Amino acid sequence: MLEELQVSLKMSETPSTTLSVVHLTSSEGQVHSPRHSNVTHPVVAKRISFYKSGDPQFGGVKVVVNPRSFKTFDALLDNLSRKVPLPFGVRNISTPRGRHSITRLEELEDGESYLCSHNRKVLPVDLDKARRRPRPWLSSRSISTHVHLSSAAAVPTTAPGMLRAPRRLVVFRNGDPKTRRVVLLSRRVTQSFEAFLQYLTQVMQCPVAKLYATDGRKVPSLQAVILSSGAVVAAGREPFKPGNYDIQKYLLPAKLPGISHRVHRKGKATLEKRKSGNWKVSVTTSDFPNAGTSSQVYIVLYGQCRSSVPIYLYGRDGARFQDGHEDIFTITVGDIGKPFKIRIGHTNSGYSPSWHCKGIELQNMNSGEKFYIPVQQWLAQEQEDGEICREFPILSKGQPVLPVTKYEVYITTGELWNAGTVANVYLSVYGEKGDTGSRKLSRSKSALMFLRGQIDTFFLEAVNLGNLCKIVIGHDGLGPGNGWFLEDIVIRDPTTNNEYAFFCHRWLDEGEDDGKIVREMYARDNTIFSVRKKLELKIKETWAAESWKFMKGNTLQFYSKLTGGFVRLHPDGTVDAVGEQTDRYGLFDVIFNKGNLCIFQSHEMRHLSLALDNGGAAGMASGGALTELRVLYQPNRCALLESALCPGHTLVVDRHGKVADESSAGYAELSKEFLVFVKGVFLNSAVVILATSLCQALCLQSDGTCTGAGNQSEQSHWRVHRVSSGICMFESVKNARMYLRIKDGHCNGTGTGDTDCHFKIKRNLENASISLESLKSPGLFVGLQPDGQAKPVIYTKDENVCFYPRVIQFGRENPMGMSATPSQGEDKMHLSKHQKETLLESKARHPSPLSSEKESRHSHSTETLLSEGEWKVLVVTGDTGTQANVTLWVYGDEGVTGPISLTKDSPEQLFLPGQKDEFQVTMEHMKSKKTLNFVANVWLSRNQADGDIVCELPVMKEGGPVFPLVRYHVDVYTGQLKQAGTESEVSLCLYGERGDSGLRLLHRSNMPVRFQRGQIDAFQIEAVSLGNLQKVLLHCEASDKAQYWYCEKVIVKDPGTASESIFTCERWIPFMSQGSMHSEIELYCQEMQINHPPKIQEEANDGDWKVTVVTGDLENAGTTATVSLCVYGEARCSGPIILGSGKHHLFNPNSADIFKINLKDIGEISKIHIGHDNGGEDPGWYVEEVTLENMATRERFLLTVDSWISDRENDGQYTWKEVPIIRSHRGPLLGIM
């Protein structure tokens, strides 16, 4: 039973090439092996081909479907999802023309072909073209086509079978060339790069984590393995060790299908074949100084039937390739047929790699036939054209069989930020007459290669390839910022003037897109097609970036660059385009939106909407067919407004701003393109993205720096804090209280909300962008370097200072009626160590979440506090003054204002000694003369009284406080885990129904040493009564892992009410979540846990889920690796979400770790995929269970795993685990195969 199951699975994954081999051998009388003859079920088994929707370049996969291999239709979909590259897996199977969907296994017919797609929309495919396309891994040999130099009869009929034979690879152990193995690159071992490394670990009997070429270059991916020279060096974690990795005698090609399976009565034919593949190679080095080389020289022979792999010419009795010497080698290449070209090159290694070759002679040791190739050229990066690899045609009767062609290669790097690369780029070109081999692109016409937006020109010399069909391009991933965004490649054949376009528009970056750094691209019919496709893609991307502007309810303005004015709709219904920016008739509300179909209603006159009729534009009653306009975006971010009723009829204006017909004047006098602006983008508390390109945005990185090359994700969300009209601050949503700023010649996201974070917003009418000018340093703008890193720059009209805002969440007008102006004396303040400590403690005094919708979080004036008007603040100091920075917060019924820095032009004259032991704050309203007195009589000092430098004072009414002062008793429990204690400073903030206590440093404990393992530390925090406590915030900064702190729980007691609130933590602080470190965590009261799970942000967003991962109670069950999670839904997959790393005290044995992730718009969840990167000293991990809970609906799934996720436990094959979602009414949505 088990054997039959294995056979069935193998047949279902066997590629079509294996079936071809079987057919070839059976046609010659081969007797089938019993293993194949046993699996014959003509009634039940179905052999079916599956192709990718809309992709004729995908060669298809063949699958055997029977009841043993696939018990359900969902199991088939899951299997195909691993074989057919679709964004969200295979979710739909349909007939070749896409007319009928397949929903049951019984509907599949034997021998038929079907299309796979990830949604209901199916794009037909020319199956004949798809079937002719060779598989990328099969066509990765040195040559994949035949060159007909003589009659057709000269080419053996078995030649196509050669391409289907698995390629042989010699694997050396790093530093030990004598230990080597020969492996076959079959589909079974090349499913993924990780699987291949695991396979080599078994073969080499030592851990294999990295691969190198024999010259020391890193082989970073499976594509690079397949395109390698035929040998690799297998290493663990150690670096490459040079050695004499001689691969010549291990490069015998695999036996050919149709020959190796034959039964030979005598061995003479086979022996003759082998002899015919023996060649004598004589290489002559030129006779002048420094002509010899220390590098490793290799040769490749191309024949009518096939090509050899690169064969290294190693010496056995001393140095080779010296000045004036002739070196003779005997090589075995198999039956390649009659040769027509050779490739000679070296690895550019050693102390003197440059080489001048005089000539090469080849002699067939069986037939005696000789061929001489005069070289007479340098193979050196410092000489001539810099090439270290050259091709030469074989001479026939003194004439070359094929000409040598110098191809012109034009490579365009994309316009995205950080699109350039400093890595070494390699290119292979394939044509109907062979290939060029992998060539390093080292000499461009440009001084610096592969810069953002640059076109680099290279010349690639090779024996003519005929019509080009594909290229393989990649880089070695070396150097900082090695990722590369490749736009396209154009290759020109000067002999025919034909141009071949290869369109890419994708990243070659291990951290972007699909992580590949090698890509295979096929030639377009002509460059016009490529240009048209690029234009269509740019328009599609532009609409995706700008479509948010046309959401229902937005208010828009349309700007004409020709007239320099805005489109206006007058009360009499006339339209022009000469309005000012503040013109009330130039505002339009989107009252209808369906795709790009909109109705634009006048904001001033609600009964009129913009309409196109009879060759002109006018105002008409809303809702009519003429008012429906279609928005057509152009690549320059301009929009055309086209009539939905009359396609082709657009809004056109002349240079005077009048509505015109396109035929009424010259093209230069007319314009139909308009830039679209949205009103209310920078209202207070709005959340925006500052886009730097169509798909990138300004993003705060984990080290506090900012980059314009970030993805447009939550990491690039900024919350707007409006200081005054046209002046804003930008706070990171992902990392609260980190603000964009310009200070000391740097632009980063480490601001604390002071005047360094104030920016004046400059609107650029020419491209609908904005620029951010520092208010404190006028003339300095937030700018971007070519690698995307932010820096202060002087304003120019270049795009490096342009940001395209996109609203994620609109803000609100006039919050609390408050204004905020920058402090005038702040730029003259010098902070002492004690003053900085004061600011650090005060920075987290943010308001209660109950009133956060009504607050203005930051105000920086001594004269602006509350909405009723200006207030006067009088501070009376006792007999001891201070030079520290004094900060004030004021709490009210509607919220809180602060921090307010109490400073003036001469801060050294503030807070001087006055009255003894008395500290009084007086607030006097300038209009009502109402006075509020706050009597303190306390020290604010680390060395006096209770050591606090923060105090809270209640409002006094009728001789008593409105709310009393409460001294809360706080017990902090440090866990029993190993190294749970910390010497780092820990701060705490209490939140209640009346606000918060501010972040208080826990510095005076009842214990001599704070926060020791298993210890309970008692603290006291004095604050105005907060009412019922709701949550606490714990903050622990620790740069060293040894200082991380494991908090078990916090108990807060109110002595006035004798109430006790328990806040459970049970986790390490700092901790990693979703790839970034967090030094603070919010804990909710125990009875509120069901409604308020522990989280990092204050508010749960739409689509937020709580994930609880339980590590088993086994020895060494924890992991040091970085754990990631993928969640699959009906609509899409979440993609890998990094939960955290075991290096940061996560995923310990017998522990539960809680995370918050966002799964918005993925649809109903069907399964999860959890695993790790196998990193760290002990990556093996035993997972007990995973719980998913929707934080909005409370929907909860408990997924039992009870399994090792390790390459050493269980089956030893995977470092991930898939678990289906089980629903009570339906059972599992997906099965696990």
Side-chain angles (χ1 to χ4, degrees):
M1 187 67 178
L2 178 60
E3 185 177 354
E4 291 181 358
L5 176 61
Q6 291 176 340
V7 171
S8 175
L9 288 173
K10 288 183 178 180
M11 290 191 65
S12 67
E13 297 178 359
T14 301
S16 59
T17 53
T18 305
L19 296 177
S20 298
V21 171
V22 173
H23 294 325
L24 279 171
T25 56
S26 61
S27 65
E28 297 173 9
Q30 173 80 9
V31 178
H32 289 287
S33 66
R35 184 178 183 84
H36 285 275
S37 61
N38 287 340
V39 186
T40 306
H41 302 284
V43 178
V44 180
K46 305 174 184 177
R47 292 170 174 82
I48 302 170
S49 300
F50 294 95
Y51 296 87
K52 182 180 175 183
S53 170
D55 186 2
Q57 303 297 338
F58 182 72
V61 293
K62 290 191 176 182
V63 177
V64 176
V65 178
N66 60 45
R68 291 195 300 264
S69 58
F70 302 105
K71 298 185 183 301
T72 65
F73 189 70
D74 286 341
L76 175 62
L77 294 180
D78 195 39
N79 182 273
L80 290 173
S81 296
R82 295 193 292 268
K83 299 179 179 180
V84 182
L86 286 168
F88 308 119
V90 177
R91 291 290 179 266
N92 182 55
I93 298 176
S94 64
T95 54
R97 295 190 179 182
R99 294 178 179 177
H100 303 288
S101 292
I102 305 299
T103 58
R104 297 183 303 124
L105 293 175
E106 292 75 12
E107 298 178 16
L108 296 171
E109 298 183 11
D110 184 29
E112 295 298 325
S113 300
Y114 297 90
L115 295 183
C116 299
S117 63
H118 63 272
N119 53 30
R120 293 293 178 184
K121 184 178 180 181
V122 180
L123 300 177
V125 172
D126 184 350
L127 295 183
D128 291 335
K129 182 177 180 181
R131 292 183 182 115
R132 290 196 302 268
R133 178 193 177 278
R135 303 277 182 87
W137 89 280
L138 291 173
S139 59
S140 61
R141 298 184 64 85
S142 300
I143 180 171
S144 59
T145 52
H146 313 293
V147 182
H148 300 278
L149 303 179
S150 58
S151 63
V155 181
T157 58
T158 58
M162 298 177 186
L163 301 178
R164 297 187 172 93
R167 183 178 176 185
R168 305 180 75 192
L169 183 73
V170 180
V171 184
F172 293 92
R173 178 178 290 183
N174 190 25
D176 184 11
K178 294 182 179 179
T179 302
R180 53 212 165 194
R181 299 288 185 274
V182 179
V183 300
L184 298 181
L185 297 182
S186 64
R187 285 183 64 91
R188 182 178 64 84
V189 301
T190 56
Q191 295 293 330
S192 68
F193 189 55
E194 292 73 17
F196 184 61
L197 293 180
Q198 292 179 4
Y199 172 72
L200 292 184
T201 298
Q202 299 174 1
V203 172
M204 303 300 294
Q205 297 183 353
C206 66
V208 178
K210 294 180 289 186
L211 296 180
Y212 294 94
T214 53
D215 59 351
R217 288 183 293 117
K218 191 174 182 180
V219 179
S221 64
L222 189 60
Q223 295 95 329
V225 172
I226 296 172
L227 297 174
S228 67
S229 61
V232 294
V233 179
R237 303 287 181 185
E238 74 277 6
F240 175 76
K241 300 176 183 178
N244 185 20
Y245 299 106
D246 185 357
I247 64 174
Q248 176 178 337
K249 62 182 179 180
Y250 297 95
L251 290 176
L252 287 173
K255 296 180 180 180
L256 305 181
I259 297 177
S260 60
H261 293 282
R262 295 175 184 172
V263 179
H264 298 281
R265 296 181 179 178
K266 295 183 180 180
K268 292 184 178 180
T270 304
L271 185 60
E272 290 176 0
K273 289 285 185 181
R274 290 181 179 177
K275 287 184 177 180
S276 67
N278 293 332
W279 291 79
K280 179 181 177 182
V281 180
S282 302
V283 182
T284 305
T285 302
S286 299
D287 187 15
F288 52 82
N290 299 320
T293 181
S294 61
S295 187
Q296 298 177 3
V297 176
Y298 64 87
I299 189 171
V300 183
L301 275 62
Y302 284 75
Q304 290 179 338
C305 302
R306 54 167 292 174
S307 70
S308 72
V309 293
I311 301 174
Y312 284 82
L313 305 177
Y314 288 103
R316 299 185 181 276
D317 52 354
R320 296 284 176 168
F321 309 110
Q322 299 303 303
D323 304 351
H325 284 204
E326 179 184 21
D327 297 288
I328 302 175
F329 307 88
T330 300
I331 63 175
T332 303
V333 296
D335 184 15
I336 64 172
K338 188 174 182 179
F340 66 89
K341 77 170 181 179
I342 68 165
R343 181 184 304 132
I344 188 80
H346 62 80
T347 59
N348 201 46
S349 58
Y351 59 91
S352 178
S354 299
W355 182 39
H356 193 281
C357 180
K358 182 177 181 180
I360 300 171
E361 183 179 82
L362 301 176
Q363 181 179 358
N364 190 315
M365 298 181 67
N366 186 40
S367 64
E369 190 175 13
K370 292 184 179 181
F371 305 93
Y372 182 74
I373 299 98
V375 179
Q376 295 291 350
Q377 280 186 287
W378 279 101
L379 284 79
Q381 289 188 345
E382 301 79 15
Q383 302 287 344
E384 296 178 356
D385 57 3
E387 292 291 336
I388 60 173
C389 173
R390 297 189 185 278
E391 289 189 355
F392 300 95
I394 298 294
L395 301 180
S396 177
K397 298 181 180 180
Q399 297 297 321
V401 175
L402 292 171
V404 175
T405 302
K406 183 170 285 191
Y407 292 95
E408 299 172 15
V409 182
Y410 303 93
I411 299 180
T412 304
T413 301
E415 295 283 350
L416 298 184
W417 295 102
N418 203 27
T421 185
V422 296
N424 297 313
V425 176
Y426 297 84
L427 174 69
S428 298
V429 183
Y430 293 78
E432 61 183 353
K433 298 178 182 178
D435 64 271
T436 63
S438 181
R439 304 287 188 94
K440 180 180 177 181
L441 302 177
S442 56
R443 288 204 176 184
S444 168
K445 287 187 175 181
S446 305
L448 297 175
M449 299 183 295
F450 310 117
L451 297 181
R452 171 178 175 262
Q454 179 172 289
I455 300 177
D456 291 282
T457 303
F458 301 91
F459 293 96
L460 196 153
E461 188 178 83
V463 174
N464 192 273
L465 302 172
N467 292 325
L468 305 186
C469 59
K470 75 168 183 177
I471 62 171
V472 176
I473 189 166
H475 60 81
D476 56 10
L478 301 179
N482 53 62
W484 184 31
F485 189 86
L486 173 61
E487 189 67 39
D488 61 26
I489 298 176
V490 176
I491 301 179
R492 179 178 172 271
D493 185 345
T495 61
T496 61
N497 282 329
N498 288 341
E499 289 187 350
Y500 302 88
F502 303 87
F503 184 67
C504 182
H505 194 70
R506 295 186 71 176
W507 283 101
L508 282 76
D509 190 338
E510 292 179 339
E512 298 283 351
D513 204 339
D514 57 2
K516 294 181 180 180
I517 60 174
V518 178
R519 296 207 179 275
E520 183 179 81
M521 294 175 284
Y522 287 82
R524 303 295 180 183
D525 295 337
N526 52 58
T527 54
I528 297 177
F529 178 86
S530 179
V531 171
R532 183 167 62 247
K533 182 171 181 179
K534 286 172 61 176
L535 181 61
E536 291 174 353
L537 183 60
K538 188 73 177 290
I539 291 175
K540 182 179 180 181
E541 291 179 341
T542 305
W543 171 249
E546 298 283 311
S547 58
W548 71 272
K549 296 181 177 180
F550 302 93
M551 294 172 56
K552 185 178 179 180
N554 286 357
T555 300
L556 310 180
Q557 290 179 295
F558 300 99
Y559 176 76
S560 171
K561 291 195 288 186
L562 178 65
T563 67
F566 291 85
V567 174
R568 298 185 298 182
L569 176 56
H570 295 276
D572 61 358
T574 59
V575 177
D576 62 33
V578 291
E580 296 293 332
Q581 184 173 334
T582 57
D583 197 315
R584 59 179 180 170
Y585 296 125
L587 299 177
F588 297 89
D589 295 333
V590 182
I591 64 170
F592 172 79
N593 169 259
K594 186 176 181 181
N596 65 343
L597 194 65
C598 301
I599 295 179
F600 303 109
Q601 183 185 76
S602 171
H603 185 73
E604 185 71 17
M605 300 162 293
R606 302 303 175 105
H607 64 285
L608 291 180
S609 294
L610 191 63
L612 295 177
D613 183 32
N614 297 327
M620 294 186 180
S622 301
L626 294 175
T627 62
E628 293 185 0
L629 304 182
R630 197 176 301 279
V631 181
L632 305 176
Y633 256 94
Q634 307 301 300
N636 60 355
R637 289 185 183 262
C638 289
L640 277 58
L641 301 180
E642 180 188 62
S643 171
L645 190 63
C646 304
H649 176 38
T650 58
L651 176 60
V652 182
V653 296
D654 60 21
R655 62 186 181 90
H656 302 294
K658 296 181 179 180
V659 176
D661 191 351
E662 293 188 42
S663 60
S664 61
Y667 181 77
E669 298 290 316
L670 299 177
S671 176
K672 55 184 177 180
E673 294 184 342
F674 300 93
L675 289 165
V676 182
F677 293 87
V678 181
K679 296 291 289 183
V681 171
F682 296 106
L683 295 179
N684 199 64
S685 295
V687 178
V688 300
I689 285 177
L690 300 175
T692 55
S693 69
L694 295 178
C695 58
Q696 293 174 305
L698 186 67
C699 174
L700 177 64
Q701 297 180 301
S702 57
D703 59 356
T705 60
C706 291
T707 175
N711 295 324
Q712 294 182 2
S713 60
E714 188 180 2
Q715 200 75 26
S716 58
H717 289 185
W718 299 90
R719 188 177 301 280
V720 177
H721 295 277
R722 189 170 181 179
V723 179
S724 60
S725 179
I727 299 175
C728 295
M729 297 189 297
F730 298 91
E731 177 191 14
S732 171
V733 172
K734 188 77 171 177
N735 301 279
R737 293 180 294 282
M738 295 188 71
Y739 292 80
L740 182 66
R741 75 171 183 182
I742 289 180
K743 185 178 181 180
D744 300 331
H746 299 283
C747 179
N748 53 42
T750 59
T752 58
D754 54 13
T755 53
D756 292 321
C757 307
H758 292 192
F759 292 96
K760 183 178 180 182
I761 298 175
K762 173 182 172 61
R763 188 153 68 161
N764 304 312
L765 297 178
E766 295 303 311
N767 59 4
S769 69
I770 57 110
S771 298
L772 302 178
E773 181 183 12
S774 172
L775 193 67
K776 192 172 182 179
S777 304
L780 284 184
F781 288 75
V782 177
L784 300 178
Q785 302 180 80
D787 63 356
Q789 289 299 312
K791 70 170 184 176
V793 298
I794 305 297
Y795 179 78
T796 62
K797 291 188 177 181
D798 294 337
E799 61 178 343
N800 68 323
V801 297
C802 294
F803 298 92
Y804 301 88
R806 174 184 170 189
V807 178
I808 302 301
Q809 175 185 320
F810 278 92
R812 56 190 182 278
E813 289 278 5
N814 302 322
M816 292 287 294
M818 293 181 292
S819 62
T821 57
S823 175
Q824 296 176 350
E826 214 166 317
D827 57 334
K828 300 181 181 179
M829 294 173 60
H830 176 72
L831 301 182
S832 66
K833 179 179 179 181
H834 180 69
Q835 291 169 333
K836 291 179 180 178
E837 182 183 7
T838 305
L839 285 179
L840 176 64
E841 181 156 352
S842 67
K843 72 176 182 177
R845 291 277 302 193
H846 48 79
S848 165
L850 299 177
S851 59
S852 62
E853 289 296 323
K854 302 175 181 178
E855 67 175 84
S856 175
R857 290 180 58 116
H858 293 272
S859 176
H860 298 272
S861 173
T862 61
E863 299 182 350
T864 57
L865 288 182
L866 302 180
S867 58
E868 288 89 334
E870 295 184 350
W871 287 74
K872 178 182 178 182
V873 179
L874 175 63
V875 180
V876 180
T877 305
D879 61 354
T880 304
T882 182
Q883 293 184 353
N885 295 310
V886 178
T887 309
L888 176 70
W889 291 262
V890 181
Y891 289 76
D893 290 338
E894 300 296 328
V896 65
T897 183
I900 304 165
S901 180
L902 303 181
T903 183
K904 291 184 179 180
D905 291 338
S906 301
E908 65 276 2
Q909 300 299 320
L910 297 177
F911 313 117
L912 297 177
Q915 298 180 5
K916 183 178 180 180
D917 295 332
E918 182 177 339
F919 189 92
Q920 184 177 4
V921 177
T922 301
M923 297 178 59
E924 180 181 348
H925 196 278
M926 301 299 291
K927 293 182 180 180
S928 65
K929 301 302 179 182
K930 179 181 178 180
T931 301
L932 301 177
N933 293 315
F934 302 83
V935 180
N937 197 26
V938 295
W939 277 98
L940 297 182
S941 171
R942 283 277 184 254
N943 304 315
Q944 300 288 340
D946 59 2
D948 279 336
I949 60 173
V950 176
C951 74
E952 291 197 355
L953 307 176
V955 172
M956 306 299 291
K957 187 175 183 180
E958 298 178 358
V962 176
F963 297 109
L965 276 174
V966 177
R967 186 171 289 272
Y968 292 96
H969 295 257
V970 180
D971 293 335
V972 180
Y973 290 68
T974 299
Q976 295 283 354
L977 299 181
K978 186 179 179 180
Q979 296 183 340
T982 183
E983 296 178 0
S984 301
E985 291 187 341
V986 176
S987 302
L988 177 139
C989 179
L990 303 176
Y991 291 85
E993 58 187 352
R994 298 193 191 107
D996 63 86
S997 67
L999 195 64
R1000 306 290 186 94
L1001 179 66
L1002 302 180
H1003 65 99
R1004 291 212 171 182
S1005 169
N1006 63 326
M1007 306 299 289
V1009 182
R1010 295 168 296 172
F1011 310 119
Q1012 296 301 298
R1013 176 184 175 187
Q1015 182 171 293
I1016 303 175
D1017 291 272
F1019 303 91
Q1020 293 186 7
I1021 293 179
E1022 189 176 69
V1024 175
S1025 176
L1026 299 170
N1028 293 327
L1029 295 183
Q1030 298 168 338
K1031 68 176 181 178
V1032 300
L1033 182 143
L1034 278 176
H1035 179 95
C1036 177
E1037 290 280 359
S1039 58
D1040 184 9
K1041 180 180 177 181
Q1043 294 302 316
Y1044 286 12
W1045 176 47
Y1046 187 85
C1047 176
E1048 185 175 313
K1049 62 182 175 180
V1050 176
I1051 298 179
V1052 183
K1053 302 174 184 177
D1054 184 345
T1057 62
S1059 63
E1060 184 179 277
S1061 302
I1062 302 175
F1063 303 89
T1064 303
C1065 180
E1066 295 181 350
R1067 74 182 307 161
W1068 292 92
I1069 310 174
F1071 61 96
M1072 177 178 280
S1073 179
Q1074 299 191 32
S1076 59
M1077 293 297 298
H1078 301 274
S1079 59
E1080 52 186 49
I1081 184 173
E1082 292 180 358
L1083 309 175
Y1084 283 83
C1085 194
Q1086 197 168 69
E1087 63 267 18
M1088 302 175 66
Q1089 286 293 329
I1090 187 171
N1091 297 321
H1092 301 281
K1095 57 181 181 177
I1096 301 160
Q1097 296 180 340
E1098 290 187 0
E1099 298 176 359
N1101 299 315
D1102 182 26
D1104 280 349
W1105 287 69
K1106 182 177 78 170
V1107 178
T1108 304
V1109 181
V1110 179
T1111 301
D1113 187 14
L1114 300 176
E1115 185 179 0
N1116 300 322
T1119 180
T1120 58
T1122 298
V1123 174
S1124 59
L1125 174 74
C1126 285
V1127 183
Y1128 292 80
E1130 286 184 330
R1132 64 182 182 88
C1133 171
S1134 67
I1137 301 172
I1138 297 177
L1139 298 181
S1141 173
K1143 299 175 184 177
H1144 302 290
H1145 291 298
L1146 294 176
F1147 313 114
N1148 292 308
N1150 194 27
S1151 67
D1153 298 285
I1154 302 174
F1155 308 91
K1156 187 182 77 172
I1157 64 176
N1158 190 274
L1159 303 177
K1160 186 178 180 181
D1161 298 332
I1162 74 167
E1164 190 174 40
I1165 298 176
S1166 60
K1167 68 176 180 178
I1168 69 166
H1169 176 121
I1170 189 167
H1172 58 78
D1173 63 356
N1174 209 36
E1177 297 178 356
D1178 189 12
W1181 184 32
Y1182 188 87
V1183 186
E1184 189 170 302
E1185 64 184 31
V1186 179
T1187 304
L1188 278 74
E1189 181 179 352
N1190 190 312
M1191 296 174 65
T1193 65
R1194 300 301 156 199
E1195 184 180 18
R1196 190 171 182 270
F1197 302 109
L1198 176 60
L1199 309 177
T1200 302
V1201 182
D1202 276 335
S1203 174
W1204 282 98
I1205 302 180
S1206 170
D1207 60 355
R1208 299 193 305 269
E1209 305 286 346
N1210 287 352
D1211 52 15
Q1213 296 182 4
Y1214 306 107
T1215 55
W1216 52 263
K1217 186 78 173 180
E1218 284 193 354
V1219 186
I1221 298 293
I1222 300 178
R1223 301 178 189 269
S1224 57
H1225 61 288
R1226 277 181 294 179
L1229 294 185
L1230 292 173
I1232 298 180
M1233 297 300 293

